[in-house]
Amino acid sequence: MATGSQRRRIITSALILAGLAVAFYITFIVMAVTRA
Amino acid sequence: MSDTTTHAGAHDEHHDTPKGIMRWLTTTNHKDIGTLYLLFALLMFFVGGSMALVIRLELFQPGLQYVNPEFFNQMTTMHALIMIFGAVMPAFVGLANWMIPLQIGAPDMALPRMNNFSFWILPFAFTLLLSTLFMASGAPAGGWTLYPPLVQQTGDSLPFVILAIHLMGISSIMGAINVIVTIMNMRAPGMTLLKMPLFAWTWLITAYLLIAVMPVLAGAVTMLLTDQFFGTTFFHAAGGGDPVMFQHIFWFFGHPEVYIMILPAFGIVSEIIPTFARKPLFGYDAMVYATASIAFLSFIVWAHHMFTVGMPLAGQLFFMFATMLIAVPTGVKVFNWTATMWRGAMTFETPMLFAIAFLFLFTIGGFSGLMLAIVPADYQYHDSYFVVAHFHYVLVPGAVFAIMAGVYYWLPKWTGHMYDETLGKIHFWLSVIGVNVTFFPQHFLGLAGMPRRIPDYATQFTNFNMMSSVGAFIFGLSQLMFVYIIFKAIRGGAKATAQVWDAPQGLEWTVPSPAPHHTFDEAPQVK
């Protein structure tokens, strides 16, 4: 079972990765809109 | 102190596991979820496989015999979508769920509830996808690449397909986040990254690929949806859009996707060959760096799928040379596997047979890939059966054989029983013969000019098509043996020891067989 600091690391890294995924999704649509 | 309390409470809760269907619906155990993924993949392998047999049945002889062309095209499209997203990817995620925590000495995946959610999305996604077969407008028929404007003839079932793809993408991204977070945060003390088993390494890199490219596919299909129903013209030339832009976006996802389906296979083979050669893996560090190099290169080669759209010469040259460059790290791997076997005390149990077949046959697929990378040659091969032969060599004796090798290798650890070795070997030989009889003649068909995705063909192509269809039925039917062997081992058989094989390396072999429901509650020390 994860300790407190380990749990914080797990949640932070999961959120960063999820944020990256959302950022990639938005980036590609914006690139298509602007035809960059 | 509060941590200790939570620990004890959660621990007790685990022993109060629900029974029956609720156990599987609500499970947060990595082994249960791994099993669910693997069973789902097996089911989809048969659904997608039966579609392949419809295709091969129709192509057994020229003319239209069994299905109409529209349905034939639905079969090619659905076969690909189901095999890629429903069979190969979930099988690898299932193996990751089962084996990564065991290999790195973690008690479970880092985010167990999300793990449950990412699996249970899949049955809904595939029900949605398969339901399009029963809709008035039929299933998508424009190929799994979903190129506009062709795919926009799909009609009212298109939004169902797009929602299904979004769901599969969300599931994959959640699975990938779980793998990365688990590996980065939950390795046993002493297990540095460069001591990690290669299966875990290849999966770590694959998970990054997934997070980078699944959103790109989601973006592409969202734009297809708005083009179809909300009046946008991303890909409509008439409104100032560009259909070729879809191909660029799609293949920016699609090429790394190819590596998503092969890197974990490299990992499995890198586990199996050392065990049965009774030698440590040759060039471990080089294997890790080669995997990372392949992953990097996979992002800069996408346009080799679309050389014929009319791109500038500089673009063609760049994508041609970048593609050829992938042969270097891939070659490093092939030579390292060979060097691992060199002067090893080899035995040829079923996992090793599949791993060696992988080595030979994946290399054939790799070489035909190099041929396709050459721009002037690709103008001849493009959209021909040569391409079909190429990617099936990479995916069937490549990815699928590696999955089968992994299943045979770890099945005794999962079930506590040895599988039937004689039946396993018969399954191997029927599969290897079936695969080659199916796909090798397709090279000749492509070189002779037979286009892909057609339900009928000129009579000169008849002989090789007949061979290919016979091979497909041998391969397809022999997979029933695979199911029989698996369920026979689940039900009973010779008891497996904790080590299972003769001195395999890795933490997974230190726990009893079958692996208990909870492992590594106390983290092991890795030296």
Side-chain angles (χ1 to χ4, degrees), chain B residues 130-472:
Chain B
L130 286 167
S131 70
T132 59
L133 282 167
F134 305 100
M135 291 178 187
S137 56
W144 84 281
T145 51
L146 307 169
Y147 283 180
L150 183 61
V151 76
Q152 280 160 333
Q153 294 174 10
T154 306
D156 290 341
S157 61
L158 186 64
F160 291 83
V161 178
I162 289 174
L163 181 58
I165 290 174
H166 274 121
L167 290 175
M168 297 165 202
I170 291 168
S171 165
S172 294
I173 289 170
M174 290 199 299
I177 290 175
N178 226 333
V179 167
I180 296 175
V181 175
T182 306
I183 292 176
M184 298 314 280
N185 294 300
M186 295 180 67
R187 294 191 312 279
M191 168 126 353
T192 56
L193 280 175
L194 282 174
K195 279 187 188 163
M196 213 164 56
L198 260 172
F199 179 65
W201 248 118
T202 51
W203 240 113
L204 178 66
I205 292 168
T206 303
Y208 278 110
L209 290 184
L210 276 166
I211 290 177
V213 301
M214 292 311 287
V216 179
L217 173 67
V221 296
T222 305
M223 288 185 266
L224 273 186
L225 187 78
T226 60
D227 270 11
Q228 180 94 334
F229 295 101
F230 300 102
T232 58
T233 54
F234 287 109
F235 310 127
H236 284 180
D242 181 2
V244 174
M245 184 172 69
F246 179 87
Q247 297 189 25
H248 280 291
I249 301 173
F250 180 86
W251 286 113
F252 188 81
F253 144 78
H255 200 78
E257 170 68 20
V258 173
Y259 292 95
I260 287 166
M261 291 190 284
I262 205 66
L263 293 184
F266 290 167
I268 295 168
V269 170
S270 306
E271 301 284 332
I272 292 172
I273 290 179
T275 297
F276 295 98
R278 290 163 181 78
K279 276 176 65 190
L281 185 69
F282 185 90
Y284 170 95
D285 290 12
M287 290 298 236
V288 173
Y289 296 128
T291 310
S293 310
I294 293 171
F296 168 75
L297 289 172
S298 77
F299 284 104
I300 56 166
V301 296
W302 76 87
H304 68 214
H305 293 273
M306 37 192 288
F307 278 144
T308 58
V309 295
M311 67 180 76
L313 181 64
Q316 289 184 330
L317 289 174
F318 172 79
F319 286 108
M320 174 168 80
F321 290 129
T323 305
M324 290 175 156
L325 214 53
I326 298 183
V328 177
T330 313
V332 167
K333 285 183 166 291
V334 170
F335 283 115
N336 279 355
W337 289 320
T338 312
T340 306
M341 289 191 278
W342 176 252
R343 295 189 148 178
M346 290 207 288
T347 51
F348 300 94
E349 288 85 344
T350 311
M352 183 63 161
L353 288 175
F354 272 105
I356 293 173
F358 169 94
L359 189 53
F360 277 94
L361 300 177
F362 171 80
T363 305
I364 292 179
F367 274 128
S368 57
L370 269 179
M371 293 169 70
L372 285 161
I374 301 166
V375 175
D378 182 73
Y379 269 69
Q380 299 299 315
Y381 307 147
H382 187 84
D383 260 348
S384 77
Y385 251 83
F386 189 82
V387 180
V388 179
H390 155 68
F391 68 72
H392 279 97
Y393 259 89
V394 179
L395 286 173
V396 186
V400 173
F401 271 22
I403 291 166
M404 288 174 178
V407 168
Y408 281 114
Y409 185 54
W410 286 309
L411 194 63
K413 180 57 61 189
W414 303 337
T415 63
H417 302 124
M418 299 304 290
Y419 60 87
D420 188 325
E421 189 64 55
T422 311
L423 288 181
K425 285 196 171 122
I426 296 171
H427 170 230
F428 166 77
W429 284 109
L430 285 173
S431 295
V432 86
I433 292 167
V435 153
N436 284 295
V437 175
T438 310
F439 298 116
F440 211 82
Q442 294 183 0
H443 292 109
F444 305 133
L445 286 169
L447 293 178
M450 177 168 160
R452 63 191 287 204
R453 292 169 175 157
I454 51 164
D456 186 11
Y457 50 82
T459 48
Q460 80 228 36
F461 302 130
T462 308
N463 291 350
F464 282 132
N465 268 298
M466 281 186 169
M467 280 170 68
S468 183
S469 293
V470 169

Side-chain angles (χ1 to χ4, degrees), chain B residues 8-87:
Chain B
H11 197 77
D12 288 340
E13 220 173 70
H14 283 311
H15 290 285
D16 195 21
T17 322
K19 298 276 177 291
I21 185 78
M22 286 311 284
R23 167 184 168 187
W24 299 102
L25 284 173
T26 61
T27 181
T28 52
N29 181 285
H30 73 102
K31 299 181 185 85
D32 282 356
I33 295 172
T35 304
L36 285 171
Y37 265 112
L38 287 167
L39 291 175
F40 180 79
L42 189 63
L43 176 69
M44 287 296 130
F45 180 56
F46 279 91
V47 174
S50 44
M51 290 173 178
L53 293 185
V54 171
I55 294 167
R56 285 315 323 167
L57 188 68
E58 180 55 55
L59 293 176
F60 182 71
Q61 49 184 326
L64 295 174
Q65 283 87 32
Y66 301 99
V67 293
N68 62 39
E70 289 80 9
F71 188 71
F72 182 91
N73 288 339
Q74 291 174 24
M75 286 292 103
T76 55
T77 307
M78 294 288 273
H79 162 72
L81 288 171
I82 287 168
M83 286 304 204
I84 293 167
F85 294 105

